[in-house]
Amino acid sequence: MTARAERMTVPVTMLALVLAMLVDAASLTRVARLVPLAVAVPTVLLIVVELVRRSGHAKSGRDLPRPESTAGVGRLEAQMLAWLLVLCVCVAATGAAPGLAVFTCVYLRVASRAPLPRAAAVSFVTYAVLHLLFQYVLHAPVWSGWLRPV
Amino acid sequence: VIVLAALGAFTYRQRVDDIFVACLFGVVGYYLKKHGWPRVPLVIALLLGEAFEMNLHVTMRLTELGRLDPFARPVTLVLLVLTALNLVLPALRRRASALAANP
């Protein structure tokens, strides 16, 4: 991704969210539609004004809050994104409590290079705490997802 | 930190989907921070947005039915003026400092 395209990620995402809100509001009555419109118009205006200001600064060469361009940042970002995906897969497969424990074990073993006994011990303690929390405080099902035991 | 954040997201409604949403907004927050966009307005909007939308809707309905004239109330006028100033003042201040730097 080029630096310019990456800089545009945030405003484009925000504008897409506003657009989604407006599309969602299309089914409302005429008066009710005015509320999301009243929220959307200033939001879009502020984003556009900020974009114009930033492009003006970029053209005149003035300093902006620029992204960190250190080598390797992209790799770290990709790694973090991958870990978040692993967390989501773990949670979706087994539910929040076992998923978080499995994620802790995998993360400690792979990213932190902890020895297997320590990773297993930390994960076991995590699971035990979460199990008790889910069972007696939250009253939520401990196992859920695709791999839950029948 | 990730485990605690995920647990916090789950306990709100006890739904696994909220963990995915938390991850998604974590990525969005990271890019907001990286590119210097303020995160506080987004958080305030997420926290107060529901109450704001509901009260704005109620006010609009009452105004439409002739039960309320918000522009006749001093508190509303003061708040509107403060909001307008809040929008205009940063730009005016920037222009003033630019003029002071390059007279």
Side-chain angles (χ1 to χ4, degrees):
Chain A
M1 197 192 299
T2 62
R4 185 182 157 74
E6 200 185 310
R7 269 201 306 276
M8 293 299 287
T9 311
V10 172
V12 167
T13 309
M14 292 298 142
L15 291 174
L17 281 175
V18 173
L19 190 66
M21 181 183 75
L22 286 177
V23 170
D24 186 52
S27 59
L28 302 177
T29 61
R30 194 180 58 82
V31 179
R33 266 203 299 262
L34 288 176
V35 176
L37 207 63
V39 176
V41 169
T43 309
V44 169
L45 272 177
L46 284 172
I47 292 173
V48 169
V49 165
E50 182 66 17
L51 266 179
V52 169
R53 192 178 73 83
R54 284 177 184 224
S55 60
H57 277 218
K59 274 181 192 160
S60 66
R62 273 183 279 173
D63 279 337
L64 273 175
R66 55 183 64 185
E68 299 150 25
S69 53
T70 321
V73 168
R75 198 167 58 86
L76 285 175
E77 287 172 350
Q79 272 180 6
M80 202 59 220
L81 202 62
W83 279 115
L84 284 180
L85 283 177
V86 170
L87 171 71
C88 290
V89 170
C90 287
V91 167
T94 57
L100 288 174
V102 169
F103 173 77
T104 309
C105 187
V106 174
Y107 188 85
L108 284 176
R109 192 79 188 97
V110 178
S112 303
R113 296 180 200 285
L116 185 60
R118 190 187 301 165
V122 172
S123 306
F124 180 76
V125 171
T126 307
Y127 178 73
V129 171
L130 290 176
H131 185 93
L132 292 175
L133 187 75
F134 276 52
Q135 199 86 312
Y136 297 108
V137 180
L138 297 176
H139 302 293
V142 179
W143 288 81
S144 60
W146 320 318
L147 298 178
R148 72 177 177 278
V150 182
Chain B
V1 172
I2 289 178
V3 170
L4 286 177
L7 192 62
F10 178 81
T11 48
Y12 177 55
R13 287 190 306 177
Q14 298 186 6
R15 287 179 62 172
V16 172
D17 314 0
D18 289 344
I19 296 179
F20 308 147
V21 176
C23 288
L24 185 70
F25 272 87
V27 175
V28 170
Y30 171 75
Y31 275 97
L32 285 171
K33 188 175 167 65
K34 186 179 177 188
H35 295 288
W37 290 84
R39 278 93 60 210
V40 177
L42 188 66
V43 174
I44 292 175
L46 287 172
L47 287 175
L48 301 181
E50 196 177 342
F52 167 77
E53 275 192 33
M54 196 187 71
N55 286 303
L56 181 61
H57 186 71
V58 169
T59 308
M60 283 168 56
R61 292 292 294 179
L62 287 174
T63 308
E64 195 186 48
L65 296 170
R67 304 285 295 273
L68 182 74
D69 184 7
F71 298 103
R73 290 168 178 250
V75 175
T76 318
L77 289 175
V78 169
L79 286 175
L80 280 174
V81 169
L82 284 177
T83 309
L85 280 176
N86 201 23
L87 286 173
V88 174
L89 268 182
L92 287 179
R93 202 176 291 162
R94 267 201 301 273
R95 180 158 291 186
S97 59
L99 280 176
N102 304 313

